[in-house]
Amino acid sequence: MSEVILAFRGKEMGLSRASKLFDVPIFTLKDKVNSREEDVDKLFGTKLGRNPTLRDEIEDALMKYCLVMEVRFFGLTAKGIKRMAFQLTENNKGEDAAGWKWLH
């Protein structure tokens, strides 16, 4: 995709030709080409969806803790794990635990 954008910006080919040649929908290509972002790699580095509540390091530490507790036969419930995750977060949105999607 970055090759397509660079080819169009370098005036090597038009939008419709680039769309057909690289099999990219023309409207997707048009959105990316018309972006004000100069760095082509930054156009594709964005992630969709919400920002994660827990940082990766904290989430990994919580996962390791749960696995250690499992090995020691200390039963952790789903509700307990979600509550621990919620306590680790800084934003309290009125709920008392993390969601099911996070747990899975």
Side-chain angles (χ1 to χ4, degrees):
M1 185 72 148
S2 58
E3 294 174 13
V4 179
I5 294 171
L6 291 174
F8 178 78
R9 285 184 178 174
K11 301 189 187 223
E12 295 173 22
M13 65 180 72
L15 213 60
S16 60
R17 181 171 175 228
S19 172
K20 290 176 185 174
L21 185 65
F22 291 97
D23 196 29
V24 176
I26 194 163
F27 291 109
T28 303
L29 187 57
K30 195 173 187 178
D31 286 342
K32 300 294 182 187
V33 166
N34 291 335
S35 173
R36 294 178 189 254
E37 182 62 54
E38 299 267 336
D39 187 8
V40 177
D41 294 329
K42 286 186 180 179
L43 286 173
F44 305 104
T46 58
K47 293 183 179 180
L48 300 177
R50 295 181 183 182
N51 291 331
T53 307
L54 295 175
R55 292 191 322 263
D56 289 337
E57 306 87 40
I58 295 174
E59 194 168 312
D60 288 341
L62 180 59
M63 180 187 65
K64 288 176 185 175
Y65 172 77
C66 291
L67 293 174
V68 167
M69 291 294 107
E70 181 185 2
V71 169
R72 295 181 181 173
F73 300 108
F74 185 76
L76 295 174
T77 63
K79 189 173 185 177
I81 295 170
K82 293 190 306 177
R83 281 194 178 168
M84 281 189 283
F86 181 78
Q87 290 171 356
L88 292 172
T89 61
E90 294 179 357
N91 4 346
N92 186 343
K93 297 179 181 170
E95 299 174 23
D96 62 347
W100 280 106
K101 285 185 180 181
W102 175 85
L103 179 64
H104 291 286

